[in-house]
C-alpha cells in the first residue's frame, strides 16, 4: 500500500485502525506526506516531501515503478516523469508497493487540498496501473461522496451528470465579490474558509444570509439575516461512505426552538423565490430523487488524460499555496463547541500549515 497526502489518524481514524491491524499482520505500507505523522504501526518506506515537491516526488516514484516493471508511462506524463530525480527512497516506496499480491494507492485529504491535486491524481492513477494496484480516494468529511452524487459541486448535477452552466467554487466566490452569499450549516468563514480575506470579501456583499445552528458573534457580524437550522443529529438524512454504501438515519432529537432541518430551510427559500424543484415534503423525497438520478452510476477508475507539466513549467503560484492540516476537532462548528473534545490532546492542537 502507498498512501499519498494523508494524516490517516486525523482524517479517517477507523480506517487508520484497520490499516494498523493489517500492518501488524505483515502488510507492507509506504507513505508520501508533507510530514512524518504518528501512525502507530510499522511503515516500511516513508517519504517526507514539502508541498512544492510533492508532485515531483510522486513522479519519481512512478519513474522507479516504470523501471522496475519495464512498462512505459502514459505520454502525457512522460515529461514530468522523465526529469524526475529518482533516489533510493523512491525505489523503496516502489518496492513496498510491488511486494504484495493485493496492492493499493490511496490519495488522502492533504492530497485533495493540494493546489496541484490534478497532477497528483494523474500520477497516482498511472502508478496504480503500472503496478497492478487499485486507486483509492479517501474522501474528506463524513459525506463527501454523498455530496458529489447529489450534485453539490460546481460542475456536476445529481447523478454525476455534467452541468450545462458550471457554477463557482467556494474559492472563486471568495476571490471576487458577489452581491449576496448564503452560508449553510454553521459555516464560520474565518476558520472554515482557510482564507484570511474571506471576512473582508463577505463584508463587501449587499446581503449575507447565514443558515446556522449557532448565533456566533462572527455570524452576527457578517450576516444581515440569521435563519436557525438544526444540527446533523436533528434531522433525518443519508450518508454515502468511501465504499459507496448508502446509510440513512432518522433524527436523534427534535430541532431546538424555531430551528428547522437544513433541507426544509432551503425548500422554503426556493418556494419564496418561485423556483422549480422545491416541492419536497420530506427528506425521503430528496433521497428518492437523488437515488433515481444515481441509478445508472457505477464505480469506475480514473478516466482522465490530464497532462502533468515539467517542474520548470509548473505554475509558481500553485506551488507556493499553503497546505493546511486541520485538527479533527476543529473541522466543523459542532465539534468546535464540544468542551469534552476540546480538552483532548487533539482538541488542543492547532492547525498546521506546510
Amino acid at each position: 500500500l502507498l498512501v499519498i497526502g494523508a494524516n490517516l489518524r486525523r482524517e479517517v481514524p477507523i480506517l487508520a485502525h484497520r490499516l494498523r491491524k493489517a500492518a501488524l499482520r505483515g502488510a507492507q505500507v509506504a507513505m508520501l506526506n508533507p510530514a512524518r505523522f504518528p501512525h502507530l504501526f510499522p511503515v516500511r518506506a516513508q517519504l517526507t516531501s514539502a508541498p512544492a515537491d510533492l508532485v515531483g516526488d510522486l513522479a519519481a516514484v512512478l519513474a522507479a515503478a516504470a523501471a522496475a516493471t519495464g512498462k512505459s508511462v502514459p505520454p502525457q506524463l512522460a515529461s514530468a516523469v522523465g526529469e524526475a530525480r529518482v533516489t533510493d527512497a523512491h525505489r523503496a516506496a516502489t518496492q513496498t508497493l510491488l511486494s504484495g499480491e493485493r496492492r493499493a494507492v490511496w490519495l488522502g485529504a492533504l492530497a485533495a487540498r493540494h493546489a496541484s491535486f490534478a497532477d497528483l491524481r494523474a500520477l497516482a492513477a498511472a502508478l496504480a496501473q503500472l503496478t497492478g494496484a487499485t486507486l483509492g480516494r479517501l474522501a474528506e468529511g463524513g459525506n463527501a461522496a454523498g455530496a458529489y452524487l447529489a450534485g453539490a459541486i460546481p460542475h456536476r448535477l445529481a447523478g454525476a451528470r455534467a452541468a450545462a452552466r458550471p457554477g463557482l467554487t467556494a474559492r472563486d466566490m471568495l476571490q471576487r465579490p458577489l452581491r449576496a452569499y448564503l452560508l449553510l450549516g454553521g459555516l464560520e468563514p474565518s476558520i472554515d474558509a482557510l482564507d484570511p480575506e474571506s471576512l473582508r470579501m463577505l463584508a463587501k456583499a449587499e446581503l449575507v444570509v447565514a443558515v446556522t445552528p449557532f448565533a456566533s458573534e462572527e455570524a452576527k457580524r457578517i450576516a444581515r439575516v440569521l435563519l436557525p437550522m438544526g444540527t446533523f443529529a436533528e434531522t433525518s438524512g443519508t450518508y454515502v461512505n468511501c465504499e459507496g454504501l448508502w446509510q440513512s438515519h432518522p433524527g436523534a432529537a427534535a430541532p431546538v426552538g424555531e430551528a428547522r432541518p437544513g433541507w426544509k430551510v432551503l425548500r422554503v427559500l426556493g418556494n419564496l423565490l418561485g423556483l422549480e424543484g422545491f416541492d419536497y415534503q420530506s427528506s425521503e423525497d430528496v433521497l428518492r430523487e437523488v437515488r433515481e438520478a444515481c441509478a445508472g452510476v457505477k464505480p469506475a477508475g480514473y478516466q482522465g488524460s490530464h497532462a502533468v507539466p515539467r517542474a520548470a513549467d509548473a505554475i509558481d503560484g500553485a506551488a507556493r499555496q499553503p497546505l493546511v492540516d486541520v485538527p479533527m476537532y476543529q473541522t466543523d462548528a459542532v465539534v468546535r463547541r464540544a468542551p469534552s473534545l476540546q480538552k483532548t490532546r487533539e482538541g488542543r492542537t492547532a492547525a498546521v500549515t506546510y
Side-chain angles (χ1 to χ4, degrees):
L1 171 67
L2 173 63
V3 181
I4 304 164
N7 188 347
L8 290 176
R9 294 182 63 220
R10 179 172 286 178
E11 296 171 19
V12 277
I14 296 298
L15 188 58
H17 176 64
R18 292 180 179 177
L19 182 55
R20 180 179 184 272
K21 293 171 66 176
L24 294 177
R25 290 196 302 265
Q28 302 297 307
V29 182
M31 298 281 180
L32 173 56
N33 277 317
R36 284 181 173 258
F37 301 122
H39 300 296
L40 305 184
F41 57 79
V43 176
R44 181 175 175 181
Q46 192 146 212
L47 279 164
T48 302
S49 178
D53 301 325
L54 201 57
V55 171
D57 277 325
L58 184 53
V61 174
L62 179 55
T69 60
K71 299 178 181 178
S72 301
V73 301
Q76 69 270 19
L77 309 180
S79 296
V81 174
E83 71 166 12
R85 297 180 180 179
V86 182
T87 67
D88 289 341
H90 300 113
R91 296 186 188 94
T94 298
Q95 290 304 318
T96 299
L97 183 59
L98 291 171
S99 64
E101 294 182 3
R102 299 173 62 186
R103 304 162 186 170
V105 177
W106 291 351
L107 289 164
L110 289 174
R113 294 176 201 156
H114 196 283
S116 299
F117 172 66
D119 295 347
L120 293 173
R121 183 176 56 181
L123 291 167
L127 179 62
Q129 184 177 18
L130 257 64
T131 59
T134 300
L135 178 64
R137 174 85 184 276
L138 305 181
E140 185 168 9
N143 208 12
Y148 192 98
L149 291 171
I153 49 177
H155 61 293
R156 297 287 180 183
L157 304 176
R161 292 176 292 123
R165 296 178 57 189
L168 301 176
T169 66
R171 182 184 295 274
D172 292 335
M173 296 178 193
L174 292 173
Q175 285 184 339
R176 52 189 180 193
L178 303 177
R179 291 184 60 189
Y181 292 86
L182 175 67
L183 308 181
L184 178 67
L187 286 177
E188 296 173 298
S190 63
I191 303 173
D192 295 317
L194 300 178
D195 184 347
E197 295 297 310
S198 60
L199 292 179
R200 185 178 64 83
M201 199 61 67
L202 290 169
K204 294 181 178 180
E206 296 178 19
L207 175 65
V208 176
V209 177
V211 183
T212 175
F214 306 106
S216 66
E217 291 303 316
E218 180 174 304
K220 295 176 183 177
R221 188 167 64 252
I222 64 175
R224 182 174 298 180
V225 179
L226 296 180
L227 298 178
M229 167 188 167
T231 66
F232 73 95
E234 297 165 340
T235 179
S236 55
T238 299
Y239 289 81
V240 182
N241 66 12
C242 291
E243 187 184 359
L245 179 65
W246 295 54
Q247 303 172 89
S248 298
H249 64 90
V256 178
E258 296 183 349
R260 295 292 182 270
W263 72 268
K264 283 190 175 182
V265 177
L266 294 177
R267 184 199 63 186
V268 172
L269 291 177
N271 294 154
L272 293 173
L273 292 170
L275 301 177
E276 296 182 358
F278 284 82
D279 300 323
Y280 308 109
Q281 298 301 311
S282 69
S283 65
E284 286 75 16
D285 291 344
V286 181
L287 173 62
R288 188 178 305 110
E289 182 176 311
V290 176
R291 272 202 176 276
E292 290 174 357
C294 295
V297 176
K298 297 181 180 179
Y302 175 71
Q303 305 293 324
S305 57
H306 175 75
V308 178
R310 298 181 308 136
D313 299 331
I315 301 174
D316 292 338
R320 288 196 299 266
Q321 286 188 19
L323 187 59
V324 181
D325 190 4
V326 181
M328 63 191 303
Y329 297 143
Q330 295 293 331
T331 53
D332 64 55
V334 175
V335 297
R336 287 195 287 263
R337 286 167 172 78
S340 57
L341 297 180
Q342 297 307 314
K343 291 178 181 178
T344 65
R345 181 172 61 182
E346 185 69 18
R348 298 192 302 270
T349 301
V352 179
T353 301
Y354 302 109

